Amino acid sequence: MTEKQELILSVALNLFAKQGFAATPTSQIAKEAQVSEGLIFRHFGSKEGLLQAILEEGQARVQAMVNSIAEETDPRRIITRVIDLPVQLIEQEREFWGLQFALKYSQKILPSKQQDTSVIALTKALYQAFDTLGYDYPDKETEFLMIFLEGLSSAMLTQDIQVNSLVRFVKVKYDLVQAQSSKKTQLQKV
Amino acid sequence: MTEKQELILSVALNLFAKQGFAATPTSQIAKEAQVSEGLIFRHFGSKEGLLQAILEEGQARVQAMVNSIAEETDPRRIITRVIDLPVQLIEQEREFWGLQFALKYSQKILPSKQQDTSVIALTKALYQAFDTLGYDYPDKETEFLMIFLEGLSSAMLTQDIQVNSLVRFVKVKYDLVQAQSSKKTQLQKV
DNA sequence: AAGCTGTTTGTGAGTAATCACTTACTCTTT
DNA sequence: AAAGAGTAAGTGATTACTCACAAACAGCTT
């Protein structure tokens, strides 16, 4: 991977996230990366090939974090880390996730099965955690939390929300941390 | 509004939702609507004007439903109807909402202040409902539910989930309906 | 009814600009 | 000297949009 190759990837990610894939011409990528347009096609074959390279690079980093969560044994730690995961990922790579979410709604782009397996692994870990903790409907509880986290990710990308206080609130609900005041807000388990 | 004008709007919505705004040429819209390409520009001025017309048309329908919820007085009915709203909207106009979500992540398109005011009105109604019911942190509770509903909408558009059972599960959590079995899963209020 | 007139609706053939991509070539590294 | 990295100048196809003109329709006067 040469310097210019990495530069192209980074500039392309930046522009795809900002303007959208279809609305970003390769000529603009070349110009801002200060390379010839032909180099993009030499390295990545096509504009779609460039997109795929960007997506695969980002996906590898996710996989590592997901695996680490799945190895966890303490159910409360699992739930905590699943909640923290999207927040960390988006704070680290906001542009990448903005692009991911934008692509999600255009049925043209293939979702690269790796992403599915990540989500499935996370779902399984969460289910076992809720089950171990004695929740009555661990499957629904899992689905509920996963969908909330999808909304949280979306909100982080499109609005500016106070993530920390909201995450704390959620953790209190799931009895993962103590409430700050004497009042209680947690979910009732049984 | 002539027949062909409505035809253009409907075909354009269909294609924008399926392929994305930038990836859909006006020539394709004209072809599938069986009108001359010039007619699109006669009626809507530009491709962006066409998009705006589509968005404004859909937004009017939302406003009516939101207003009706805000007039509600019973807090439990408010929460129930806020939860049901996105499900109904997406079931009625899946393509329109697919387009809305896709546009959300491309910073280019203006979000048409009307959408903001709808969300604000909904947020206010929800806050008052939670407050009336004696929830400890009605603001956090509101934010939490709104973000979950954003995730629910997203999930309805991109996966196929069993919405009904999930919505029921949520309503049990908020004590809006009875649990089917003797087990309890609802949120604890105080 | 019939004719006249102005406005709106609609068409088809343009247009310049831009698109993704290619090719012939040079430079750099080993 | 062989191979990959990099470039500049193209390529035809496609893009959003325009324009000159025709058809349809409305109202108004005979």
Side-chain angles (χ1 to χ4, degrees), chain A residues 76 135 169-179 181-189, chain B residues 135-137 141 173 185-190:
Chain A
R76 279 196 174 74
Y135 278 75
F169 178 76
V170 174
K171 288 181 181 171
V172 171
K173 266 195 188 295
Y174 286 100
D175 201 21
L176 303 169
V177 297
Q178 299 276 26
S181 73
S182 61
K183 300 174 181 177
K184 288 180 186 175
T185 325
Q186 72 244 33
L187 273 169
Q188 201 169 1
K189 284 191 309 188
Chain B
Y135 278 76
D136 280 332
Y137 305 99
E141 211 70 61
K173 266 194 187 298
T185 325
Q186 73 244 34
L187 273 168
Q188 201 170 4
K189 285 190 309 188
V190 183

Side-chain angles (χ1 to χ4, degrees), chain A residues 17-20 22-23 97-98 101-102 104-108 135-137 140-141 143-145 147-148 150-155 157-159 161-162 165-166 169-170 173-174 179-190, chain B residues 17-20 22-23 97-98 101-102 104-108 135-137 140-141 143-145 147-148 150-155 157-159 161-162 165-166 169-170 173-174 179-190:
Chain A
K18 218 179 282 175
Q19 309 174 347
W97 291 103
F101 271 74
K104 205 196 250 182
Y105 301 98
S106 88
Q107 298 148 335
K108 281 199 156 180
Y135 278 75
D136 280 330
Y137 305 99
K140 293 292 159 197
E141 212 69 64
E143 200 179 358
F144 179 78
L145 181 54
I147 285 180
F148 168 77
E150 177 154 347
L152 180 62
S153 305
S154 174
L157 290 167
T158 57
Q159 315 161 26
I161 58 171
Q162 297 185 29
S165 68
L166 186 58
F169 178 76
V170 174
K173 266 195 188 295
Y174 286 100
Q180 283 172 313
S181 73
S182 61
K183 300 174 181 177
K184 288 180 186 175
T185 325
Q186 72 244 33
L187 273 169
Q188 201 169 1
K189 284 191 309 188
V190 183
Chain B
K18 218 179 283 176
Q19 309 175 345
W97 291 103
F101 272 73
K104 205 195 249 181
Y105 300 98
S106 88
Q107 297 148 333
K108 282 199 156 180
Y135 278 76
D136 280 332
Y137 305 99
K140 293 292 161 201
E141 211 70 61
E143 200 179 359
F144 179 78
L145 181 53
I147 286 179
F148 168 78
E150 178 155 344
L152 181 62
S153 305
S154 174
L157 291 167
T158 57
Q159 315 161 25
I161 58 170
Q162 297 186 30
S165 68
L166 186 59
F169 178 76
V170 174
K173 266 194 187 298
Y174 285 101
Q180 282 172 314
S181 73
S182 61
K183 300 173 181 175
K184 288 179 185 175
T185 325
Q186 73 244 34
L187 273 168
Q188 201 170 4
K189 285 190 309 188
V190 183

Side-chain angles (χ1 to χ4, degrees), chain A residues 79-94:
Chain A
I79 300 174
T80 302
R81 291 193 59 189
V82 170
I83 292 172
D84 287 332
L85 180 64
V87 176
Q88 287 175 12
L89 287 177
I90 291 175
E91 278 174 355
Q92 282 169 24
E93 308 184 88
R94 165 170 280 265

Side-chain angles (χ1 to χ4, degrees), chain A residues 1-9 35 39 43-44:
Chain A
M1 185 84 86
T2 67
E3 256 185 45
K4 300 208 170 182
Q5 214 164 345
E6 292 183 37
L7 191 63
I8 291 170
L9 282 172
V35 299
L39 190 59
H43 282 314
F44 304 103

Side-chain angles (χ1 to χ4, degrees), chain B residues 54-96:
Chain B
I54 291 172
L55 296 181
E56 282 166 22
E57 202 196 31
Q59 202 58 43
R61 284 190 284 268
V62 180
Q63 198 69 43
M65 296 188 75
V66 170
N67 290 341
S68 143
I69 293 177
E71 286 166 9
E72 206 82 54
T73 53
D74 176 27
R76 280 195 173 75
R77 260 195 74 74
I78 291 178
I79 301 174
T80 302
R81 290 194 57 190
V82 170
I83 293 172
D84 287 331
L85 181 65
V87 177
Q88 286 174 13
L89 287 177
I90 291 175
E91 279 175 355
Q92 282 169 25
E93 308 185 86
R94 168 169 279 266
E95 285 184 342
F96 174 77

